[in-house]
Amino acid sequence: MQRRSFALGLSASFGLAGCSHGATGYDGPEVTAIVVNKGARKMYLLNNEEILRSYRVDLGFAPAGHKRIEGDGRTPEGTYVINRRNPESNYHLSLGISYPNARDRAQARALGKRPGGDIFIHGQPNNSKHRRRAERVEDWTAGCIAVKNAEMEEIYAMVRNGTVITLRP
């Protein structure tokens, strides 16, 4: 059944790919969760247990392990929620992730540091110099999750604030 759900999701994504550029609406199944598998560099949009879409992602410049402090280049691990949207981002659209939570702040405080913040799912940089670098380098963000611009348009249309996101090692 899982293989069938994956195949249906995959064929649906190809069917919508031609009309998703610049799309502002989405009328398919609700995205109930997002799962990021950092090790595989994959992000999945789910409706319950069915994979609706999957994307290859770039992460922070030092992606191994959970983000502990500001500037460490790590992408967080754990469960958060999508809590804000930014159509005027320095990157092609962005969806905010609720990092840091109370536990993250306490752990950073215990180290005498700040936890950092502003962790997003976003597209490529709007600045052409930064975009050229992002095209050449894997894991180029400061801790965010990056996808191609056309993919970000699709994700932005599909994902609502309050959606749970789980980031796994």
Side-chain angles (χ1 to χ4, degrees):
M1 181 65 176
Q2 187 178 37
R3 184 176 286 178
R4 184 176 179 189
S5 295
F6 178 77
L8 290 172
L10 185 61
S11 65
S13 76
F14 287 133
L16 289 175
C19 62
S20 65
H21 299 287
T24 58
Y26 169 71
D27 62 1
E30 176 187 6
V31 175
T32 57
I34 302 168
V35 174
V36 176
N37 181 329
K38 290 173 47 177
R41 303 299 190 276
K42 295 291 280 188
M43 179 172 67
Y44 303 94
L45 304 187
L46 305 172
N47 172 268
N48 299 314
E49 295 181 14
E50 179 183 355
I51 298 171
L52 298 174
R53 304 283 193 281
S54 67
Y55 306 94
R56 191 206 171 282
V57 298
D58 286 320
L59 303 170
F61 61 83
H66 176 58
K67 182 166 194 61
R68 298 179 66 198
I69 59 172
E70 185 173 56
D72 66 7
R74 294 180 179 173
T75 300
E77 295 174 358
T79 301
Y80 301 91
V81 297
I82 300 300
N83 64 355
R84 60 200 184 278
R85 311 169 78 71
N86 186 358
E88 302 297 323
S89 172
N90 288 328
Y91 302 88
H92 187 71
L93 304 172
S94 64
L95 296 173
I97 298 172
S98 63
Y99 176 89
N101 60 28
R103 181 176 171 209
D104 298 320
R105 286 189 293 275
Q107 289 176 341
R109 191 171 33 252
L111 296 171
K113 304 283 185 177
R114 298 188 318 196
D118 287 336
I119 302 296
F120 290 88
I121 300 169
H122 60 66
Q124 302 299 296
N126 293 328
N127 175 290
S128 61
K129 179 181 174 185
H130 295 149
R131 187 172 45 254
R132 283 191 300 274
R133 180 182 177 279
E135 290 168 352
R136 290 189 330 267
V137 178
E138 183 177 77
D139 296 332
W140 54 270
T141 77
C144 295
I145 300 154
V147 295
K148 301 294 182 203
N149 288 350
E151 296 169 334
M152 190 62 219
E153 290 174 10
E154 182 176 72
I155 294 162
Y156 198 86
M158 293 176 72
V159 174
R160 299 289 161 240
N161 287 1
T163 302
V164 173
I165 179 169
T166 303
L167 300 108
R168 298 179 178 161

